[in-house]
């Protein structure tokens, strides 16, 4: 085993990509960059080449790679206890849940592991709330969702996806969902019925290309939910925890949902941590045995998550994202008409529509990787930028300058 490990450590990037492709399922098509080390906003591949990480694990690395506060929390907890299961209490879950609930202005937390698990939990929560509190007839609950959504990849979640690539070959699908156009508050209001228990929505649609809804949309959705007596469930797995220049993207519109769904950055890029955060009245519909997770709320995850909450309590990272986000947007908008058709952004999160006549989004990402900048494409001609919130201003410029060069070079 030692010999094998040493041999694998000497593999080139092409060797690693060939090995990984041979022994893992082909459900991803990653860029051929093999990361071996990372710190802050920078990663280094096995040959020693450095890249500016402008994807940050789809916002899982909001605080950068190897943040010292988060590493210290993980190391200290690793030496104490990592898992107890929820069959017992542990001394890290209570403080974490208390402070996360306070950060969100809520009462209670239901800890899980992945973002998809948080969404699945919210679906179960909304249905049970609808039956026990709203009085919807058994097995009749409906949840309204938006077209273009991305809430995860479980069977139930892809049942209400409008992305054919996420659904093909995975039916039959779970009933109980009504899809309406994103950004159309009137269509959403019209879809609410006495059997509707919740509206599940992303304040900003990330996977769709950082789609920012029209001004006033979230407030109108909030009012429609209040009027109809249904839960507003905000999926802030990508948009939350500082990414948009606020703790939660909902804050940018002055909206308070009934339920927050959190994940990605909550684990600091170290461990998977997600959470459903709500009021005691809503989460109180769960009873012992009605829902759970062996790893949900484990001491290691709680220790890291608690450290993340501590970083956010200062407001430093939210302010940094807001300030640098203005600079990023201004620089990107300068490329409109020069290979870029449109830019959408909030904080340090941007969707950039590349002129499809010039190149695909994938080609743009490959060109950027060749210039030492890592981003990810989506839906053909759109690329997404979501650098760690610790990125330096000059590195924001470095990323945009690299994009300008790629566009000018036709993808090279």
């Amino acid at each position: 085993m030692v010999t094998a490990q040493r041999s694998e450590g000497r593999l080139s990037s092409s060797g690693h990509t060939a090995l990984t492709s041979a022994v893992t399922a082909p459900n991803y098509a990653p860029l051929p960059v093999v990361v071996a080390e990372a710190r802050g906003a920078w990663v280094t591949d096995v040959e020693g080449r450095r890249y500016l990480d402008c994807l940050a694990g789809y916002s899982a690395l909001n605080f950068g790679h190897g943040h010292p506060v988060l590493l210290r929390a993980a190391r200290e907890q690793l030496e104490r206890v990592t898992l107890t299961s929820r069959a017992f209490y542990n001394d890290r879950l209570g403080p974490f849940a208390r402070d996360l609930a306070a950060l969100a202005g809520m009462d209670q937390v239901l800890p899980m592991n992945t973002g998809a698990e948080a969404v699945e939990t919210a679906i179960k929560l909304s249905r049970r709330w609808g039956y026990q509190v709203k009085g919807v007839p058994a097995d009749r609950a409906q949840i309204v969702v938006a077209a273009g959504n991305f809430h995860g990849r479980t069977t139930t979640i892809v049942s209400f996806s409008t992305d054919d690539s996420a659904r093909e070959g995975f039916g039959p699908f779970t009933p109980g969902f009504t899809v309406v156009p994103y950004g159309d508050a009137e269509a959403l209001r019209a879809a609410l019925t006495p059997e509707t228990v919740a509206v599940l929505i992303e304040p900003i649609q990330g996977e769709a290309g950082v789609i920012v809804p029209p001004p006033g949309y979230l407030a109108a959705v909030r009012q429609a939910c209040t009027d109809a007596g249904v839960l507003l469930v905000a999926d802030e797995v990508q948009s939350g925890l500082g990414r948009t220049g606020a703790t939660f993207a909902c804050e940018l519109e002055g909206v308070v949902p009934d339920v927050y769904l959190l994940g990605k950055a909550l684990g600091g890029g170290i461990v998977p941590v997600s959470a459903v955060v709500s009021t005691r009245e809503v989460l109180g519909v769960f009873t012992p045995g009605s829902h759970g997770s062996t790893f949900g709320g484990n001491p290691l995850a709680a220790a890291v998550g608690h450290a993340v909450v501590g970083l956010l309590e200062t407001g430093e990272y939210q302010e940094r994202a807001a300030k640098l986000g203005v600079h990023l947007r201004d620089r990107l908008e300068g490329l409109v008409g020069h290979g870029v058709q449109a830019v959408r952004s909030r904080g340090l999160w941007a969707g950039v529509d590349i002129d499809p006549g010039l190149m695909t989004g994938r080609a743009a990402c490959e060109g950027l990787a060749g210039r030492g900048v890592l981003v990810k494409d989506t839906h053909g001609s759109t690329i997404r930028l979501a650098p760690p919130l610790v990125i330096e201003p000059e590195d924001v410029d470095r990323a945009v300058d690299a994009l300008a060069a790629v566009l000018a070079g036709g993808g090279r």
Side-chain angles (χ1 to χ4, degrees):
M1 181 62 72
V2 173
T3 301
Q5 288 175 340
R6 288 177 178 172
S7 174
E8 288 159 13
R10 291 195 297 268
L11 286 177
S12 65
S13 286
S14 60
H16 276 290
T17 57
L19 173 62
T20 302
S21 297
V23 297
T24 64
N27 59 319
Y28 279 95
L31 293 172
V33 175
V34 182
V35 177
E37 298 179 15
R39 186 67 65 193
W42 289 86
V43 303
T44 304
D45 74 5
V46 292
E47 278 87 21
R49 292 181 291 257
R50 298 180 75 230
Y51 300 83
L52 181 61
D53 181 1
C54 287
L55 182 63
Y58 301 100
S59 293
L61 289 154
N62 278 4
F63 309 99
H65 297 272
H67 192 289
V69 171
L70 304 182
L71 286 182
R72 183 167 60 250
R75 288 193 188 106
E76 291 176 356
Q77 193 60 38
L78 277 168
E79 296 294 331
R80 297 180 64 241
V81 59
T82 57
L83 179 64
T84 61
S85 86
R86 292 297 301 279
F88 313 103
Y89 290 91
N90 70 72
D91 66 348
R92 302 315 306 259
L93 179 55
F96 164 55
R98 175 198 63 206
D99 293 348
L100 177 58
L103 184 73
M106 297 290 184
D107 302 324
Q108 290 185 334
V109 169
L110 198 165
M112 298 298 288
N113 306 287
T114 66
E117 286 178 279
V119 173
E120 287 276 359
T121 300
I123 291 169
K124 292 173 70 175
L125 173 67
S126 298
R127 287 174 172 175
R128 179 169 274 210
W129 177 89
Y131 300 136
Q132 292 188 357
V133 177
K134 187 176 179 180
V136 173
D139 300 331
R140 298 293 298 273
Q142 291 287 317
I143 295 174
V144 175
V145 298
N149 69 78
F150 182 82
H151 297 286
R153 297 188 183 276
T154 65
T155 304
T156 291
I157 293 172
V158 300
S159 295
F160 54 86
S161 172
T162 57
D163 181 353
D164 290 339
S165 65
R167 292 167 54 90
E168 184 180 355
F170 298 129
F173 296 113
T174 307
F177 302 95
T178 302
V179 181
V180 298
Y182 187 67
D184 187 337
E186 287 307 311
L188 185 145
R189 180 182 283 273
L192 301 178
T193 74
E195 294 180 349
T196 305
V197 297
V199 170
L200 169 62
I201 201 161
E202 298 161 275
I204 296 170
Q205 290 189 328
E207 184 72 16
V210 191
I211 306 300
V212 180
Y217 171 69
L218 292 179
V221 172
R222 169 69 279 181
Q223 189 60 55
C225 290
T226 300
D227 293 344
V230 305
L231 300 177
L232 173 56
V233 181
D235 181 345
E236 296 242 25
V237 171
Q238 281 198 62
S239 62
L241 307 180
R243 171 56 56 188
T244 63
T247 304
F248 306 108
C250 285
E251 294 179 25
L252 300 174
E253 295 283 339
V255 167
V256 178
D258 298 292
V259 181
Y260 281 114
L261 305 184
L262 306 175
K264 296 195 182 294
L266 194 57
I270 298 174
V271 287
V273 184
S274 66
V276 178
V277 188
S278 188
T279 62
R280 185 170 288 103
E281 290 74 20
V282 174
L283 281 172
V285 302
F286 280 129
T287 53
S290 60
H291 191 61
S293 165
T294 298
F295 280 84
N298 71 78
L300 179 60
V304 174
H306 198 193
V308 166
V309 172
L311 294 178
L312 290 166
E313 286 174 339
T314 69
E316 170 190 351
Y317 292 94
Q318 297 91 320
E319 182 179 351
R320 185 178 181 84
K323 182 177 179 180
L324 289 178
V326 171
H327 182 59
L328 174 63
R329 182 191 65 220
D330 289 346
R331 287 295 320 276
L332 288 172
E333 286 181 345
L335 299 180
V336 174
H338 302 279
V340 169
Q341 292 184 324
V343 173
R344 298 168 299 280
S345 72
R346 283 291 184 274
L348 278 173
W349 200 19
V352 181
D353 294 339
I354 306 296
D355 181 352
L358 184 63
M359 68 186 76
T360 64
R362 173 74 181 205
C365 291
E366 291 171 347
L368 281 165
R371 293 176 178 272
V373 177
L374 301 181
V375 299
K376 189 65 176 71
D377 59 296
T378 187
H379 294 283
S381 60
T382 298
I383 64 172
R384 290 164 291 171
L385 286 81
L389 310 187
V390 298
I391 192 172
E392 297 296 335
E394 58 267 28
D395 289 332
V396 173
D397 287 325
R398 184 191 303 265
V400 180
D401 289 344
L403 176 57
V406 168
L407 295 171
R412 296 183 299 276

